[in-house]
């Protein structure tokens, strides 16, 4: 864990230099810069894979129609798909809020700073995955250390797959808790944490 923390910046840069990663990043950047509509952009499998992976939704890349609809929904509408999905994975709402496809179209994602953030995030996720291949759980530990301060409620913890995994494992709460009502899940988390 300490070695991974110490070498994180350089290791992420090295991951971004891998030929396969460079090809994905180049294809993503080209597609974003040449896109004329949000629907066109999100219909590109490479764009969807890089964007979702960078935003903690990589496991959802196999569901392009769901991803397109969720990301194109208006996050300020409480009935939007992004809001509905946030109950099981808060990253949907967070990503929809970040890029605001519903209200701002391509304006945010086509900014060089947004492209850089996404491509760096993509390389970081791939680096974390390579860490987990060597030492299972290391990626979750790094994520927890970096993000724990941002979580202030049991609902937030339950809405983030990594935080939920780390906290329930640390508290000895079985994975079957997911079949319980939300209030019971919250109670299990709050009773174990200060």
């Amino acid at each position: 864990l300490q070695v991974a923390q110490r070498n994180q910046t350089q290791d992420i840069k090295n991951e971004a230099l891998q030929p396969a990663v460079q090809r994905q990043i180049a294809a993503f950047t080209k597609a974003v810069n040449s896109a004329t509509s949000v629907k066109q952009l999100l219909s590109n499998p490479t764009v969807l894979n890089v964007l979702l992976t960078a935003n903690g939704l990589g496991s959802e890349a196999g569901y392009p129609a769901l991803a397109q609809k969720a990301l194109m929904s208006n996050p300020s509408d409480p009935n939007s798909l992004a809001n509905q999905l946030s109950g099981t994975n808060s990253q949907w709402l967070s990503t929809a809020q970040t890029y605001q496809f519903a209200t701002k179209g391509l304006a945010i994602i086509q900014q060089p700073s947004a492209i850089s953030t996404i491509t760096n995030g993509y390389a970081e996720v791939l680096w974390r995955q390579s860490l987990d291949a060597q030492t299972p759980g290391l990626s979750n530990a790094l994520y927890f250390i970096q993000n724990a301060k941002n979580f202030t409620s049991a609902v937030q913890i339950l809405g983030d797959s990594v935080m939920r995994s780390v906290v329930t494992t640390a508290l000895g709460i079985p994975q079957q808790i997911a079949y319980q009502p939300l209030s019971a899940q919250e109670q299990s988390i709050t009773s174990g944490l200060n």
Side-chain angles (χ1 to χ4, degrees):
L1 178 61
Q2 291 173 345
V3 170
Q5 287 176 303
R6 185 172 51 247
N7 298 335
Q8 180 173 353
T9 303
Q10 186 58 46
D11 287 349
I12 293 170
K13 286 180 186 176
N14 292 342
E15 186 69 37
L17 295 175
Q18 297 296 320
V21 177
Q22 283 186 323
R23 282 191 298 275
Q24 290 288 94
I25 288 173
F28 170 82
T29 304
K30 180 179 178 183
V32 168
N33 287 328
S34 64
T36 57
S37 73
V38 173
K39 186 164 181 64
Q40 174 204 8
L41 180 68
L42 296 180
S43 295
N44 182 317
T46 301
V47 168
L48 211 51
N49 179 49
V50 171
L51 178 65
L52 293 177
T53 299
N55 286 283
L57 294 164
S59 63
E60 306 296 335
Y63 308 100
L66 173 72
Q68 290 169 19
K69 190 168 181 178
L71 296 176
M72 291 172 63
S73 67
N74 188 345
S76 60
D77 176 2
N79 296 318
S80 70
L81 184 56
N83 271 304
Q84 291 174 17
L85 292 172
S86 70
T88 55
N89 189 339
S90 62
Q91 292 304 113
W92 284 114
L93 181 58
S94 175
T95 304
Q97 289 171 330
T98 299
Y99 302 105
Q100 302 176 43
F101 292 120
T103 57
K104 298 199 176 184
L106 298 169
I108 294 175
I109 199 167
Q110 287 183 327
Q111 295 176 5
S113 61
I115 293 171
S116 177
T117 299
I118 293 166
T119 56
N120 289 338
Y122 178 70
E124 181 176 347
V125 169
L126 295 181
W127 168 70
R128 287 177 186 265
Q129 289 172 351
S130 71
L131 287 178
D132 270 347
Q134 298 166 15
T135 308
L138 186 55
S139 175
N140 285 359
L142 287 168
Y143 180 89
F144 180 83
I145 290 168
Q146 292 174 343
N147 296 293
K149 64 185 173 290
N150 300 325
F151 290 81
T152 57
S153 72
V155 172
Q156 288 177 311
I157 291 169
L158 291 167
D160 184 283
S161 60
V162 175
M163 291 298 289
R164 181 178 56 244
S165 175
V166 170
V167 170
T168 56
T169 300
L171 296 176
I173 299 170
Q175 291 181 354
Q176 291 80 0
I177 190 174
Y179 300 115
Q180 300 294 320
L182 183 59
S183 59
Q185 294 179 51
E186 287 180 73
Q187 180 59 37
S188 294
I189 299 292
T190 55
S191 66
L193 295 176
N194 182 341

